[in-house]
Amino acid sequence: MKKVRIALAGFGTVGTGLAKIIRENEEWIKKRTGAVLIIEKVLVRDISKPRPFVPHPTTTFTTNPAELLEGNPDILVELIGGTSLAYELIKKALEKGISVVTANKALLATRGKELLSLAEEKGVGLYFEASVGGGIPIVETLKESLAGNRITSITGILNGTANYILTQMSQKEWDFSTALAEAQKRGYAEADPTLDIEGIDAAHKLAILIFLAHGVVYPFEKLRVEGITDLSLKDISFAQELGYVFKLIAQVKEKSGYLQAGVFPALLPKNHILAKVDGPYNAILLNGNAVGPIMLYGQGAGDLPTGSAVLADIISLVKNNKQVNNTGFIESPFEPAKILEPLSVVSEHYFRFSVLDKPGVLAALAGVLGEYNISIAQAIQKASPSERAVPVVFLTHRARLKDVKKAIKEIDKFDFIVNPTVHYPILP
Ligand code: NAP
Ligand code: HSE
């Protein structure tokens, strides 16, 4: 039987997950491919670290990146993360005509254009199903299944760690750091978890989805990116009282050829289709001009779900290695996206003002909002005998983000404002 020789860079959460599936599903993989997959060499940082198992009796471990490609493997699987060594390894493999499978969204979002061009030039595969949505087959869906559609919007929960944290905070009232520590323990978080909680990881994934859905490059630094680090239990609790849940949303909308894109925490009505996506689960809600709405849902992080996506790419390369399909386009379309100013986005909003409880406060708040065309839909004021500041919460009708920001700037100058005003958009 044909042997496919794999060089594996990284044997952490995803690397071990992949190796476990290859071992457990060996017979099944043979049926699918007519081949046996052998992880020949594994690159790690710390050779003395105890490993749960050895992928294959012939596998050797190394800490020397130069050794990884020495035996000219059939496929390089890059699962170390980061944008330095991972970049060097992938580039070297592609230059040698070796196909690559990676889960590295940070690298693809920032240097994908260069690496995909190189793969195209060399006629080899650079596959990245696991880079977005963990186990959810969204990359293949955009490349193949929805290829005939113009995608008008994508709204996703794309970070398992952030979603796990928000779920634990709202359902179990865990504090932020306890929830983050547990997400790290479970293998959901990035090596640097600020990428997860600051929205950067979700933005990396959004940049990849934009490329696959629209065939244009949205410069990463131009994306609006807001994370969940400032979100408090207080706001989560007010949202619940008002019938909403908080989610970290990644969204791109197409309007007459222009794209409006960003990552931000938002309130979703409890009956929203994305509101029930909890824990490490991700979901991607797409609208195609022919197919209409479609939602993909599944585990967005973790060893086996992510390993499943990596293995799908390996199988795809083994079966179709003469006809690779890296981007879903005949030639990778690398034109820059036409961008709609992110602050022009219009939505309903949640405001929490932290104010001194004295006459005229509500009128002053409403007055400034009115000046900026922001109309109040609901209001709550909670008196607290023990605290100097009282929270005042407003839900508004649809308003432009730019106007919201300007109004807050003005409101926060009032002497009755005790803490800076908190504001989040509400998704319909
Ligand atoms: P991880 O658990 O931190 O594992 C990283 C592996 O790479 C470890 O085996 C580590 O070696 C090795 N490594 C790191 N830096 C190295 C270096 N400079 N030289 C040699 N080896 C090095 O990471 P992971 O969670 O598996 O994530 C891997 C990739 O998958 C990342 O790009 C991540 O963004 C992506 N991803 C992860 C998930 C997830 O759920 N975790 C989901 C989707 C995508 P040691 O074992 O010796 O430390
Ligand atoms: N750290 C990422 C997350 C892993 O939590 O979603 C999956 O890409």
Side-chain angles (χ1 to χ4, degrees), residues 14 103 105 130-135 157-164 183 187-193 195-196 201-202 205 280 282 299-302 306:
V14 186
K105 52 267 164 147
S131 65
V132 186
I157 293 175
L158 297 183
N159 186 269
T161 302
N163 204 44
Y164 178 82
Y188 306 149
E190 295 303 301
D192 172 6
L195 296 174
D196 298 293
D201 176 77
K205 293 164 179 167
N282 282 192
Q299 294 189 66
T306 313

Side-chain angles (χ1 to χ4, degrees), residues 10-15 43-46 49 51 79-81 85 103-105 130 187-188 190 301-302 306:
F11 200 53
T13 303
V14 186
L43 174 71
V44 289
R45 191 169 23 204
D46 177 1
K49 209 188 242 186
R51 305 287 165 185
L79 299 172
I80 57 174
L85 178 58
N104 195 331
K105 52 267 164 147
Y188 306 149
E190 295 303 301
T306 313

